[in-house]
Amino acid sequence: MHMKVEQPKKHHRFANFENGPRLIFWELTEGCNLKCIHCRATAQPERSPDEMSTEKAFQVIDEIADFANPLLILTGGEPLYRPDFFEIAEYATQKGLSVAMASNGTLITEDIAKKIKEAGIKRVAISFDGPSSNIHDQFRGLDGSFEKALQGARNVKNQGVQLQFNTTITSHNVDYLEDMIDLSKQYGVDALHLFMLVPVGCGVQIVESNMLSSTKYEEVLEWFYERSREVDFEIRATCAPHYYRIMRQKAKEKGERITVQSHGMAAVTKGCLAGTSVCFISHKGDVRPCGYLPLKAGSVIEQEFSDIWKDSTLFQQLRNPELIEGKCGQCEYIQVCSGCRARAFYETGNFLSEEPYCNYIPNQV
Ligand code: SF4
Ligand code: SF4
């Protein structure tokens, strides 16, 4: 049974929890054809017997659609590993939800791309770990996966479905980010999202060798501030909450105002959205703040989705910036940043402790 935590006096500026999440990431399966070395899900070649049934998935969609109007991002593992993937996507579309998917791209043949379009999927995000087969295939654990993913991207594009590239920044690819922008341009993407590595799943094993130092992250995010305003597609730093601090510092230095016109959607959102605007549903129905924070807010197998979203102690804690500890708790940027709760959890076992990969010393400390 969940204990109720007293509601925070000072809510996050960017979220209205009553209306439900804005984004739901749903890991339909842990099954996957690749063996990526940074995989969040520690993806398996076989599907798990714990996976939710098709009927249960429909019921969860009903519950979500009755309560909220989020973008539903179907993910995995590799979501196309589920034979009922298109049934689920189509059902969600019919229920009025906006549906997107995140894939490794290698299984998206012309025929599958057509089905993606027919199921009403609005955007396909394909993960690239670098702009060449050398870097990408080594990460993905399968020779030829880069070429296959590019073919998948072309097939998506040919169907007129929006295309996004996702790249997790590590020491292996940090020197190739300009090339990643070029590749994105060449493929006419609608968006490029650059993720900051979170030590979860297989990512834990590569932290020592692949995680950038906090100083290097700071440099990358400063570079990102300049580049994000020069390209003509959406480019976003994801799971790098302190980017929202850097964005404000940079704008102040230059005497710029932060508006949607000048800074895109980054102007109206905040760093970590876990539990405030975003949540994650695992393949067996566990609801978590995000895919990288392995803490359970509830289970859609046992509870209504809306009850978990509104009442879970974990979500209520994440919605109260006054509970965040260490220097993040003292920081004047807490409302726009929050620090990554998953990296804090990995480092200390306490998801409310300070973000370990931010160099900033708050004025109030
Ligand atoms: S805790 Fe927040 S910043 Fe960290 S991975 Fe999850 S959503 Fe991203
Ligand atoms: S100290 Fe924490 S809240 Fe402040 S900018 Fe860094 S990560 Fe964000």
Side-chain angles (χ1 to χ4, degrees), residues 36-47:
C36 306
I37 60 178
H38 54 37
C39 182
R40 170 192 54 70
T42 323
Q44 308 293 326
E46 304 295 333
R47 292 174 56 211

Side-chain angles (χ1 to χ4, degrees), residues 242 245 327-328 331 333-334 337-339 355 358 360 362:
H242 43 305
R245 181 252 304 161
K327 67 175 184 177
C328 291
C331 184
Y333 292 103
I334 186 75
C337 172
S338 292
E355 155 77 64
C358 170
Y360 185 64

Side-chain angles (χ1 to χ4, degrees), residues 167-185:
T167 297
T168 300
I169 306 171
T170 63
S171 56
H172 271 74
N173 61 21
V174 67
D175 295 332
Y176 302 96
L177 296 179
E178 280 294 345
D179 299 327
M180 208 48 234
I181 290 181
D182 287 346
L183 184 77
S184 307
K185 251 191 231 157

Side-chain angles (χ1 to χ4, degrees), residues 33 104-108 142-153:
N33 55 325
N104 63 43
T106 60
L107 303 175
I108 307 180
L142 183 74
D143 284 349
S145 55
F146 181 71
E147 284 307 325
K148 278 193 181 151
L150 285 181
Q151 186 55 53

Side-chain angles (χ1 to χ4, degrees), residues 249-312:
Q249 288 173 311
K250 286 269 161 204
K252 198 171 165 195
E253 263 169 45
K254 296 177 178 215
E256 295 168 346
R257 275 187 62 228
I258 295 179
T259 63
V260 174
Q261 286 72 30
S262 60
H263 292 74
M265 291 312 284
V268 289
T269 186
K270 64 184 271 284
C272 177
L273 299 169
T276 59
S277 304
V278 168
C279 74
F280 172 88
I281 305 174
S282 81
H283 67 284
K284 54 181 176 184
D286 289 352
V287 179
R288 302 184 197 149
C290 80
Y292 299 93
L293 186 52
L295 298 175
K296 186 169 161 182
S299 163
V300 287
I301 305 297
E302 294 149 17
Q303 297 156 278
E304 281 259 344
F305 176 80
S306 59
D307 290 342
I308 301 171
W309 178 257
K310 286 192 272 193
D311 298 337
S312 111

